[in-house]
Short mmCIF file of all heavy atoms in Angstrom, two decimals:
data_model
loop_
_atom_site.label_atom_id
_atom_site.label_comp_id
_atom_site.label_asym_id
_atom_site.label_seq_id
_atom_site.Cartn_x
_atom_site.Cartn_y
_atom_site.Cartn_z
N MET A 1 -13.31 -16.09 -19.47
CA MET A 1 -13.21 -14.92 -18.65
C MET A 1 -11.77 -14.69 -18.20
O MET A 1 -11.26 -13.58 -18.25
CB MET A 1 -14.12 -15.07 -17.43
CG MET A 1 -14.09 -13.87 -16.53
SD MET A 1 -15.33 -14.05 -15.26
CE MET A 1 -14.56 -13.25 -13.95
N LEU A 2 -11.10 -15.76 -17.76
CA LEU A 2 -9.72 -15.65 -17.30
C LEU A 2 -8.78 -15.27 -18.45
O LEU A 2 -7.87 -14.46 -18.28
CB LEU A 2 -9.28 -16.96 -16.65
CG LEU A 2 -7.95 -16.93 -15.89
CD1 LEU A 2 -7.98 -15.87 -14.82
CD2 LEU A 2 -7.68 -18.28 -15.27
N ALA A 3 -9.05 -15.83 -19.62
CA ALA A 3 -8.23 -15.52 -20.78
C ALA A 3 -8.42 -14.06 -21.18
O ALA A 3 -7.46 -13.38 -21.57
CB ALA A 3 -8.59 -16.43 -21.94
N GLY A 4 -9.63 -13.55 -21.07
CA GLY A 4 -9.90 -12.16 -21.39
C GLY A 4 -9.20 -11.22 -20.41
O GLY A 4 -8.67 -10.18 -20.79
N LEU A 5 -9.18 -11.61 -19.14
CA LEU A 5 -8.50 -10.81 -18.12
C LEU A 5 -6.99 -10.79 -18.38
O LEU A 5 -6.36 -9.75 -18.30
CB LEU A 5 -8.78 -11.39 -16.73
CG LEU A 5 -8.15 -10.67 -15.56
CD1 LEU A 5 -8.67 -9.25 -15.48
CD2 LEU A 5 -8.44 -11.41 -14.27
N ALA A 6 -6.43 -11.95 -18.74
CA ALA A 6 -5.01 -12.03 -19.05
C ALA A 6 -4.67 -11.20 -20.27
O ALA A 6 -3.65 -10.49 -20.29
CB ALA A 6 -4.60 -13.48 -19.27
N ALA A 7 -5.52 -11.21 -21.27
CA ALA A 7 -5.29 -10.42 -22.48
C ALA A 7 -5.38 -8.92 -22.17
O ALA A 7 -4.57 -8.12 -22.66
CB ALA A 7 -6.30 -10.78 -23.56
N ALA A 8 -6.32 -8.54 -21.36
CA ALA A 8 -6.46 -7.13 -20.99
C ALA A 8 -5.24 -6.66 -20.18
O ALA A 8 -4.72 -5.57 -20.40
CB ALA A 8 -7.74 -6.93 -20.17
N LEU A 9 -4.78 -7.51 -19.27
CA LEU A 9 -3.60 -7.17 -18.47
C LEU A 9 -2.37 -7.06 -19.35
O LEU A 9 -1.56 -6.13 -19.19
CB LEU A 9 -3.38 -8.23 -17.38
CG LEU A 9 -2.22 -8.00 -16.43
CD1 LEU A 9 -2.40 -6.67 -15.69
CD2 LEU A 9 -2.12 -9.13 -15.44
N ARG A 10 -2.23 -7.99 -20.29
CA ARG A 10 -1.10 -7.95 -21.20
C ARG A 10 -1.12 -6.67 -22.04
O ARG A 10 -0.10 -6.02 -22.25
CB ARG A 10 -1.13 -9.18 -22.12
CG ARG A 10 0.11 -9.34 -22.96
CD ARG A 10 0.10 -10.62 -23.80
NE ARG A 10 -0.24 -11.82 -23.04
CZ ARG A 10 -1.36 -12.54 -23.21
NH1 ARG A 10 -2.23 -12.20 -24.12
NH2 ARG A 10 -1.58 -13.60 -22.48
N GLY A 11 -2.31 -6.29 -22.49
CA GLY A 11 -2.44 -5.06 -23.26
C GLY A 11 -2.08 -3.83 -22.45
O GLY A 11 -1.40 -2.92 -22.94
N ARG A 12 -2.50 -3.78 -21.20
CA ARG A 12 -2.16 -2.64 -20.33
C ARG A 12 -0.67 -2.57 -20.06
O ARG A 12 -0.09 -1.49 -20.04
CB ARG A 12 -2.91 -2.75 -19.00
CG ARG A 12 -4.40 -2.55 -19.10
CD ARG A 12 -4.78 -1.10 -19.29
NE ARG A 12 -4.45 -0.34 -18.11
CZ ARG A 12 -4.21 0.95 -18.09
NH1 ARG A 12 -4.29 1.63 -19.21
NH2 ARG A 12 -3.88 1.57 -17.01
N LEU A 13 -0.03 -3.74 -19.86
CA LEU A 13 1.41 -3.75 -19.62
C LEU A 13 2.17 -3.27 -20.85
O LEU A 13 3.14 -2.51 -20.72
CB LEU A 13 1.87 -5.15 -19.23
CG LEU A 13 1.51 -5.59 -17.81
CD1 LEU A 13 1.87 -7.06 -17.60
CD2 LEU A 13 2.20 -4.73 -16.78
N GLU A 14 1.75 -3.71 -22.02
CA GLU A 14 2.41 -3.26 -23.25
C GLU A 14 2.22 -1.76 -23.46
O GLU A 14 3.16 -1.06 -23.87
CB GLU A 14 1.88 -4.05 -24.45
CG GLU A 14 2.32 -5.50 -24.46
CD GLU A 14 1.65 -6.31 -25.55
OE1 GLU A 14 0.87 -5.74 -26.34
OE2 GLU A 14 1.91 -7.53 -25.59
N ALA A 15 1.04 -1.25 -23.14
CA ALA A 15 0.80 0.19 -23.28
C ALA A 15 1.64 0.97 -22.28
O ALA A 15 2.15 2.05 -22.60
CB ALA A 15 -0.69 0.48 -23.07
N ALA A 16 1.80 0.43 -21.09
CA ALA A 16 2.62 1.12 -20.08
C ALA A 16 4.09 1.14 -20.48
O ALA A 16 4.78 2.13 -20.24
CB ALA A 16 2.45 0.43 -18.73
N ARG A 17 4.55 0.07 -21.09
CA ARG A 17 5.94 0.03 -21.54
C ARG A 17 6.19 1.00 -22.68
O ARG A 17 7.28 1.53 -22.84
CB ARG A 17 6.32 -1.38 -22.00
CG ARG A 17 6.52 -2.33 -20.87
CD ARG A 17 7.09 -3.65 -21.37
NE ARG A 17 6.95 -4.66 -20.35
CZ ARG A 17 6.31 -5.81 -20.51
NH1 ARG A 17 5.77 -6.11 -21.65
NH2 ARG A 17 6.24 -6.66 -19.51
N ALA A 18 5.19 1.26 -23.49
CA ALA A 18 5.34 2.13 -24.65
C ALA A 18 5.37 3.61 -24.25
O ALA A 18 5.91 4.43 -24.99
CB ALA A 18 4.20 1.89 -25.64
N GLN A 19 4.82 3.94 -23.09
CA GLN A 19 4.79 5.34 -22.66
C GLN A 19 6.15 5.76 -22.11
O GLN A 19 6.86 4.95 -21.54
CB GLN A 19 3.72 5.54 -21.59
CG GLN A 19 2.32 5.36 -22.08
CD GLN A 19 1.30 5.55 -20.98
OE1 GLN A 19 1.64 5.68 -19.82
NE2 GLN A 19 0.04 5.54 -21.34
N PRO A 20 6.49 7.03 -22.26
CA PRO A 20 7.75 7.52 -21.70
C PRO A 20 7.68 7.52 -20.18
O PRO A 20 6.61 7.51 -19.58
CB PRO A 20 7.85 8.94 -22.24
CG PRO A 20 6.48 9.33 -22.59
CD PRO A 20 5.76 8.07 -22.96
N GLU A 21 8.85 7.54 -19.55
CA GLU A 21 8.94 7.55 -18.08
C GLU A 21 8.27 8.79 -17.53
O GLU A 21 8.50 9.90 -17.99
CB GLU A 21 10.42 7.52 -17.66
CG GLU A 21 10.67 7.53 -16.19
CD GLU A 21 10.15 6.27 -15.49
OE1 GLU A 21 10.18 5.20 -16.10
OE2 GLU A 21 9.73 6.39 -14.34
N ARG A 22 7.42 8.58 -16.54
CA ARG A 22 6.66 9.69 -15.96
C ARG A 22 7.28 10.21 -14.67
O ARG A 22 6.76 11.12 -14.05
CB ARG A 22 5.23 9.26 -15.68
CG ARG A 22 4.48 8.85 -16.91
CD ARG A 22 3.09 8.42 -16.56
NE ARG A 22 3.13 7.41 -15.53
CZ ARG A 22 2.06 6.90 -14.96
NH1 ARG A 22 0.87 7.30 -15.33
NH2 ARG A 22 2.15 5.96 -14.05
N GLY A 23 8.37 9.60 -14.22
CA GLY A 23 8.99 10.02 -12.98
C GLY A 23 8.22 9.54 -11.76
O GLY A 23 8.12 10.27 -10.77
N ASP A 24 7.66 8.35 -11.84
CA ASP A 24 6.93 7.81 -10.70
C ASP A 24 7.86 7.67 -9.49
O ASP A 24 9.07 7.60 -9.63
CB ASP A 24 6.34 6.44 -11.04
CG ASP A 24 5.19 6.55 -12.04
OD1 ASP A 24 4.62 7.64 -12.14
OD2 ASP A 24 4.90 5.55 -12.71
N ILE A 25 7.26 7.58 -8.33
CA ILE A 25 8.05 7.45 -7.11
C ILE A 25 8.78 6.12 -7.09
O ILE A 25 8.31 5.13 -7.63
CB ILE A 25 7.17 7.61 -5.84
CG1 ILE A 25 6.07 6.56 -5.79
CG2 ILE A 25 6.61 9.00 -5.75
CD1 ILE A 25 5.29 6.58 -4.50
N SER A 26 9.94 6.11 -6.46
CA SER A 26 10.75 4.90 -6.43
C SER A 26 10.25 3.94 -5.36
O SER A 26 9.49 4.32 -4.46
CB SER A 26 12.21 5.26 -6.16
OG SER A 26 12.35 5.74 -4.84
N ILE A 27 10.70 2.71 -5.44
CA ILE A 27 10.30 1.69 -4.47
C ILE A 27 10.84 2.04 -3.08
O ILE A 27 10.22 1.73 -2.08
CB ILE A 27 10.78 0.30 -4.93
CG1 ILE A 27 10.16 -0.82 -4.07
CG2 ILE A 27 12.28 0.19 -4.94
CD1 ILE A 27 8.68 -0.95 -4.20
N THR A 28 11.99 2.73 -3.03
CA THR A 28 12.53 3.14 -1.74
C THR A 28 11.58 4.09 -1.03
O THR A 28 11.37 3.98 0.18
CB THR A 28 13.90 3.81 -1.94
OG1 THR A 28 14.73 2.94 -2.69
CG2 THR A 28 14.56 4.12 -0.61
N THR A 29 11.00 5.00 -1.77
CA THR A 29 10.05 5.94 -1.18
C THR A 29 8.82 5.21 -0.66
O THR A 29 8.32 5.53 0.42
CB THR A 29 9.64 7.00 -2.23
OG1 THR A 29 10.82 7.60 -2.76
CG2 THR A 29 8.73 8.04 -1.64
N VAL A 30 8.36 4.24 -1.40
CA VAL A 30 7.21 3.45 -0.96
C VAL A 30 7.54 2.70 0.33
O VAL A 30 6.75 2.68 1.27
CB VAL A 30 6.77 2.47 -2.07
CG1 VAL A 30 5.68 1.53 -1.56
CG2 VAL A 30 6.28 3.24 -3.28
N ILE A 31 8.73 2.09 0.40
CA ILE A 31 9.13 1.37 1.59
C ILE A 31 9.20 2.30 2.79
O ILE A 31 8.76 1.95 3.89
CB ILE A 31 10.48 0.66 1.35
CG1 ILE A 31 10.29 -0.48 0.34
CG2 ILE A 31 11.07 0.13 2.66
CD1 ILE A 31 11.59 -1.10 -0.12
N ILE A 32 9.75 3.48 2.61
CA ILE A 32 9.85 4.46 3.70
C ILE A 32 8.45 4.87 4.17
O ILE A 32 8.19 4.94 5.38
CB ILE A 32 10.67 5.67 3.27
CG1 ILE A 32 12.14 5.28 3.10
CG2 ILE A 32 10.53 6.83 4.26
CD1 ILE A 32 12.99 6.33 2.44
N TRP A 33 7.55 5.14 3.25
CA TRP A 33 6.18 5.53 3.63
C TRP A 33 5.46 4.40 4.38
O TRP A 33 4.75 4.64 5.36
CB TRP A 33 5.38 5.94 2.41
CG TRP A 33 5.56 7.40 2.07
CD1 TRP A 33 6.33 7.91 1.07
CD2 TRP A 33 4.97 8.50 2.75
NE1 TRP A 33 6.26 9.27 1.10
CE2 TRP A 33 5.43 9.67 2.11
CE3 TRP A 33 4.10 8.63 3.82
CZ2 TRP A 33 5.04 10.94 2.52
CZ3 TRP A 33 3.71 9.89 4.23
CH2 TRP A 33 4.18 11.03 3.58
N VAL A 34 5.63 3.17 3.91
CA VAL A 34 4.98 2.03 4.58
C VAL A 34 5.55 1.85 5.98
O VAL A 34 4.80 1.65 6.94
CB VAL A 34 5.16 0.75 3.74
CG1 VAL A 34 4.75 -0.48 4.52
CG2 VAL A 34 4.34 0.84 2.46
N ALA A 35 6.87 1.97 6.12
CA ALA A 35 7.49 1.82 7.44
C ALA A 35 7.05 2.94 8.38
O ALA A 35 6.76 2.69 9.56
CB ALA A 35 9.01 1.80 7.30
N ALA A 36 6.99 4.16 7.88
CA ALA A 36 6.57 5.28 8.72
C ALA A 36 5.11 5.13 9.14
O ALA A 36 4.76 5.39 10.31
CB ALA A 36 6.76 6.60 7.95
N THR A 37 4.26 4.70 8.24
CA THR A 37 2.85 4.50 8.56
C THR A 37 2.68 3.37 9.58
O THR A 37 1.91 3.50 10.54
CB THR A 37 2.05 4.18 7.29
OG1 THR A 37 2.24 5.24 6.34
CG2 THR A 37 0.56 4.04 7.57
N ALA A 38 3.41 2.28 9.38
CA ALA A 38 3.34 1.16 10.33
C ALA A 38 3.84 1.58 11.71
O ALA A 38 3.25 1.22 12.73
CB ALA A 38 4.14 -0.02 9.80
N GLY A 39 4.91 2.36 11.75
CA GLY A 39 5.42 2.85 13.02
C GLY A 39 4.45 3.76 13.73
O GLY A 39 4.24 3.66 14.94
N ALA A 40 3.83 4.64 12.96
CA ALA A 40 2.84 5.55 13.54
C ALA A 40 1.65 4.79 14.08
O ALA A 40 1.12 5.10 15.16
CB ALA A 40 2.39 6.57 12.51
N LEU A 41 1.19 3.77 13.35
CA LEU A 41 0.07 2.95 13.84
C LEU A 41 0.45 2.17 15.09
O LEU A 41 -0.36 2.02 16.00
CB LEU A 41 -0.40 2.00 12.73
CG LEU A 41 -1.14 2.67 11.57
CD1 LEU A 41 -1.42 1.65 10.48
CD2 LEU A 41 -2.44 3.28 12.05
N ALA A 42 1.68 1.68 15.14
CA ALA A 42 2.14 0.94 16.32
C ALA A 42 2.18 1.85 17.54
O ALA A 42 1.75 1.48 18.63
CB ALA A 42 3.50 0.33 16.06
N ILE A 43 2.69 3.06 17.36
CA ILE A 43 2.74 4.02 18.47
C ILE A 43 1.34 4.41 18.92
O ILE A 43 1.04 4.44 20.11
CB ILE A 43 3.57 5.26 18.06
CG1 ILE A 43 5.04 4.87 17.90
CG2 ILE A 43 3.41 6.39 19.08
CD1 ILE A 43 5.89 5.95 17.25
N ALA A 44 0.47 4.69 17.96
CA ALA A 44 -0.91 5.07 18.30
C ALA A 44 -1.63 3.91 19.01
O ALA A 44 -2.37 4.13 19.97
CB ALA A 44 -1.68 5.46 17.05
N GLY A 45 -1.40 2.70 18.55
CA GLY A 45 -2.01 1.54 19.20
C GLY A 45 -1.50 1.34 20.61
O GLY A 45 -2.26 1.02 21.52
N THR A 46 -0.20 1.56 20.82
CA THR A 46 0.37 1.44 22.16
C THR A 46 -0.19 2.48 23.10
O THR A 46 -0.56 2.19 24.25
CB THR A 46 1.90 1.57 22.09
OG1 THR A 46 2.40 0.55 21.21
CG2 THR A 46 2.53 1.40 23.46
N ILE A 47 -0.31 3.71 22.61
CA ILE A 47 -0.89 4.78 23.43
C ILE A 47 -2.33 4.46 23.78
O ILE A 47 -2.76 4.62 24.92
CB ILE A 47 -0.76 6.14 22.71
CG1 ILE A 47 0.71 6.56 22.66
CG2 ILE A 47 -1.59 7.21 23.42
CD1 ILE A 47 0.97 7.77 21.79
N ALA A 48 -3.09 4.00 22.79
CA ALA A 48 -4.49 3.68 23.04
C ALA A 48 -4.60 2.52 24.05
O ALA A 48 -5.48 2.55 24.92
CB ALA A 48 -5.17 3.29 21.73
N LEU A 49 -3.73 1.56 23.96
CA LEU A 49 -3.75 0.42 24.88
C LEU A 49 -3.43 0.89 26.31
O LEU A 49 -4.12 0.51 27.26
CB LEU A 49 -2.74 -0.63 24.44
CG LEU A 49 -2.67 -1.90 25.28
CD1 LEU A 49 -3.96 -2.70 25.08
CD2 LEU A 49 -1.48 -2.74 24.85
N VAL A 50 -2.44 1.74 26.46
CA VAL A 50 -2.06 2.25 27.79
C VAL A 50 -3.18 3.10 28.38
O VAL A 50 -3.52 2.98 29.56
CB VAL A 50 -0.73 3.02 27.72
CG1 VAL A 50 -0.46 3.78 29.01
CG2 VAL A 50 0.42 2.07 27.40
N VAL A 51 -3.76 3.96 27.55
CA VAL A 51 -4.85 4.82 28.04
C VAL A 51 -6.04 3.96 28.46
O VAL A 51 -6.66 4.20 29.47
CB VAL A 51 -5.24 5.86 26.97
CG1 VAL A 51 -6.55 6.55 27.32
CG2 VAL A 51 -4.13 6.88 26.81
N THR A 52 -6.36 2.94 27.66
CA THR A 52 -7.48 2.06 28.00
C THR A 52 -7.20 1.30 29.30
O THR A 52 -8.08 1.18 30.15
CB THR A 52 -7.73 1.07 26.86
OG1 THR A 52 -8.01 1.79 25.67
CG2 THR A 52 -8.90 0.16 27.17
N LYS A 53 -5.98 0.82 29.45
CA LYS A 53 -5.63 0.03 30.62
C LYS A 53 -5.66 0.85 31.90
O LYS A 53 -6.11 0.39 32.93
CB LYS A 53 -4.25 -0.59 30.43
CG LYS A 53 -3.82 -1.51 31.53
CD LYS A 53 -2.51 -2.17 31.22
CE LYS A 53 -2.11 -3.12 32.33
NZ LYS A 53 -0.83 -3.76 32.06
N TYR A 54 -5.15 2.08 31.82
CA TYR A 54 -5.05 2.92 33.01
C TYR A 54 -6.06 4.06 33.03
O TYR A 54 -5.84 5.07 33.70
CB TYR A 54 -3.63 3.49 33.10
CG TYR A 54 -2.58 2.42 33.29
CD1 TYR A 54 -1.76 2.04 32.24
CD2 TYR A 54 -2.43 1.78 34.51
CE1 TYR A 54 -0.80 1.06 32.41
CE2 TYR A 54 -1.47 0.80 34.69
CZ TYR A 54 -0.66 0.43 33.64
OH TYR A 54 0.28 -0.55 33.81
N ASN A 55 -7.16 3.90 32.37
CA ASN A 55 -8.14 4.96 32.23
C ASN A 55 -8.69 5.38 33.60
O ASN A 55 -8.80 6.57 33.90
CB ASN A 55 -9.30 4.54 31.32
CG ASN A 55 -10.16 5.69 30.91
OD1 ASN A 55 -9.73 6.85 30.95
ND2 ASN A 55 -11.36 5.42 30.51
N GLY A 56 -9.01 4.44 34.45
CA GLY A 56 -9.55 4.76 35.76
C GLY A 56 -8.54 5.44 36.66
O GLY A 56 -8.84 6.34 37.42
N LYS A 57 -7.28 5.05 36.54
CA LYS A 57 -6.23 5.62 37.37
C LYS A 57 -5.82 7.01 36.89
O LYS A 57 -5.29 7.79 37.67
CB LYS A 57 -5.02 4.69 37.37
CG LYS A 57 -5.32 3.35 37.99
CD LYS A 57 -4.12 2.43 37.90
CE LYS A 57 -4.52 1.06 38.46
NZ LYS A 57 -3.44 0.09 38.31
N LEU A 58 -6.06 7.31 35.61
CA LEU A 58 -5.67 8.60 35.06
C LEU A 58 -6.74 9.67 35.29
O LEU A 58 -6.49 10.84 35.02
CB LEU A 58 -5.40 8.48 33.55
CG LEU A 58 -4.20 7.64 33.14
CD1 LEU A 58 -4.16 7.51 31.63
CD2 LEU A 58 -2.91 8.27 33.64
N SER A 59 -7.90 9.30 35.77
CA SER A 59 -8.99 10.26 35.87
C SER A 59 -8.72 11.33 36.95
O SER A 59 -9.27 12.40 36.89
CB SER A 59 -10.30 9.55 36.19
OG SER A 59 -10.20 8.87 37.45
N GLY A 60 -7.83 11.06 37.91
CA GLY A 60 -7.54 12.04 38.93
C GLY A 60 -6.47 13.04 38.54
O GLY A 60 -6.17 13.96 39.31
N ILE A 61 -5.90 12.89 37.38
CA ILE A 61 -4.81 13.80 36.95
C ILE A 61 -5.37 15.13 36.51
O ILE A 61 -6.31 15.24 35.83
CB ILE A 61 -3.97 13.15 35.84
CG1 ILE A 61 -3.26 11.95 36.38
CG2 ILE A 61 -3.00 14.16 35.28
CD1 ILE A 61 -2.42 11.21 35.35
#
């Protein structure tokens, strides 16, 4: 089973190398998207934590 998986992966890699460049996104773009998503999740998590912590005190606003 493992040998068949390795052979299939090797075949896919060879087929990918044979195809012309498709203009896929660069690794820099991927890094920027991951950083932006992580930052947005951190901000959203912080806001949710603050709202949860001060929920009773914010009800009079």
Side-chain angles (χ1 to χ4, degrees):
M1 181 172 147
L2 191 56
L5 181 62
L9 182 60
R10 189 176 310 113
R12 291 285 294 155
L13 286 173
E14 289 173 3
R17 285 189 195 122
Q19 293 179 353
E21 180 65 32
R22 298 180 307 176
D24 290 338
I25 60 173
S26 68
I27 190 67
T28 307
T29 305
V30 173
I31 291 170
I32 291 170
W33 273 103
V34 169
T37 304
L41 288 174
I43 291 169
T46 302
I47 291 171
L49 182 68
V50 169
V51 167
T52 302
K53 184 175 181 181
Y54 296 105
N55 193 21
K57 296 177 184 175
L58 293 174
S59 62
I61 294 178

